[in-house]
Amino acid sequence: MGVDLSPITAESSSALPLYAPEHDTFRESARRFVEREIAPHVDEWEAAEDFPRELFRTVGEAGFFGMKFAERWGGSGPDHLAQAIWIEELARAGTGGVAADLGAHSDLACLYVSNFGTDDQLERWLVPALRGEIIGALGVTEPGAGSDVAGLQTRAVQEANGDWVIDGAKVFITNGSWADFYVIAAKVDTGAEREHDKLTLFIVDADAPGFERKRMKMLGWRTSHTGELTFNSVRIPDEQRLGGVGRGFYAIMQNFAWERQSMALGAVVAAEKALELAIAYAKEREAFGRPIAKFQVWRHRFADMNTQIAVGRAITEHALRMFCAGGVDGSAPHPDTLREVAMAKLITQRLAFDVADECVQIHGGAGYMMEYAAQRIWRDARLGPIGGGTDEIMREIIAKTYGL
């Protein structure tokens, strides 16, 4: 949307409104879109454990994939604040799998191509992706390496003609079972001593010979097309190498900040939605002649949860300010951004699950039944403390920033 905002400095950020009036207008538009195109279908999609691919095109045509990206490539930004609004409004629909697939497309695959791709690569993959014509995925995690990115075993070998041959496997890849292109991290024998300096990124098309994929069944996010990928001597030209040889680890670390920021934004809204559902049920359900919301034990729990959500939102918005400290495009984040984003993710992912757990509890036996949304919220929230960097990794990041 290209909102014209003055840069936010670290010193003044806490005293300024986070969003401009233009962002408030954009939020109304995003909310109407979600209420019209997504929310009415949630129960149907969740029951089917699927949603139509056409939704990507619908979202793309409406411009909701483009907020972070330059107009030259079909974007409407760059504006990470507008993207934050879209993430929040999408989370309000209450379907973690749909939000995950749409988010992985724009906030992972497209972001990598945009940040590290050549003009030809942006034209080939980013432009149609922002229109929702093709679906993207990011392949980093492997069966034996998740948080330890330097421990990846997928290999890429360059042949004499310049082509690359990739062998290996990826797992837990959002959009993995139906994407049209994949940004893949693989190790190259660069002669470097550090494993970090061997990681290189490549773009692999879904129809590449030797590439196979299959969908995975999960506890939550059941509408998500999360998949397992296999590379059996997959050959691609050097034109599909993304960024410099041996620079993949640094690209991944650079993009982790926004991935975790987006997860924090979504988790706060998920907690808010779970609490709203719990309070609504408590007002209707009666025991011993009165609504259970009138019992002190639940009134106090609701008070605690509201307070904890307020804390989660405050630290998440603080991290967002830091991310945008050098401009709303996130091009020059404050040096403390990595720590602040890690703190936000650490607090909010567990918060979302804890509030969802209380939501199930107040529903009693009904909360354990599949026809009630409480169980879905609980299942969807459980991945938060694992995906995008575990709680344990977040604590390590935070500790290191204090020289520990």
Side-chain angles (χ1 to χ4, degrees), residues 8-90:
I8 301 173
T9 65
E11 291 75 20
S12 64
S13 63
S14 61
L16 292 175
L18 182 58
Y19 298 107
E22 294 91 337
H23 289 117
D24 295 333
T25 301
F26 174 74
R27 185 183 295 278
E28 293 175 4
S29 175
R31 184 167 298 184
R32 287 195 302 270
F33 177 89
V34 171
E35 290 175 346
R36 181 180 67 252
E37 302 291 345
I38 298 177
H41 309 291
V42 167
D43 290 340
E44 173 191 350
W45 293 345
E46 289 289 339
E49 299 187 0
D50 201 358
F51 71 96
R53 283 179 63 99
E54 185 62 26
L55 183 62
F56 283 86
R57 188 181 293 269
T58 303
V59 172
E61 290 176 348
F64 292 116
F65 284 143
M67 282 80 70
K68 301 190 304 296
F69 305 101
E71 295 181 16
R72 176 184 178 187
W73 308 111
S76 55
D79 188 350
H80 279 74
L81 292 177
Q83 179 68 11
I85 291 170
W86 166 248
I87 291 168
E88 289 186 330
E89 295 308 314
L90 183 58

Side-chain angles (χ1 to χ4, degrees), residues 96-153:
V98 173
D101 280 16
L102 296 178
H105 173 71
S106 63
D107 291 315
L108 298 182
C110 290
L111 187 61
Y112 275 77
V113 175
S114 174
N115 283 352
F116 311 111
T118 63
D119 284 359
D120 287 344
Q121 290 171 338
L122 269 64
E123 189 67 43
R124 179 174 173 182
W125 287 288
L126 183 62
V127 171
L130 295 185
R131 292 197 296 255
E133 296 172 356
I134 59 175
I135 300 173
L138 172 68
V140 176
T141 303
E142 298 182 357
S147 298
D148 180 16
V149 176
L152 299 182
Q153 295 301 308

Side-chain angles (χ1 to χ4, degrees), residues 20-21 38 51 100 105 136 161 204 253 284 343 348 371:
I38 298 177
F51 71 96
H105 173 71
N161 65 356
V204 177
M253 292 301 105
E284 295 177 358
M343 288 179 173
T348 58
E371 59 262 35

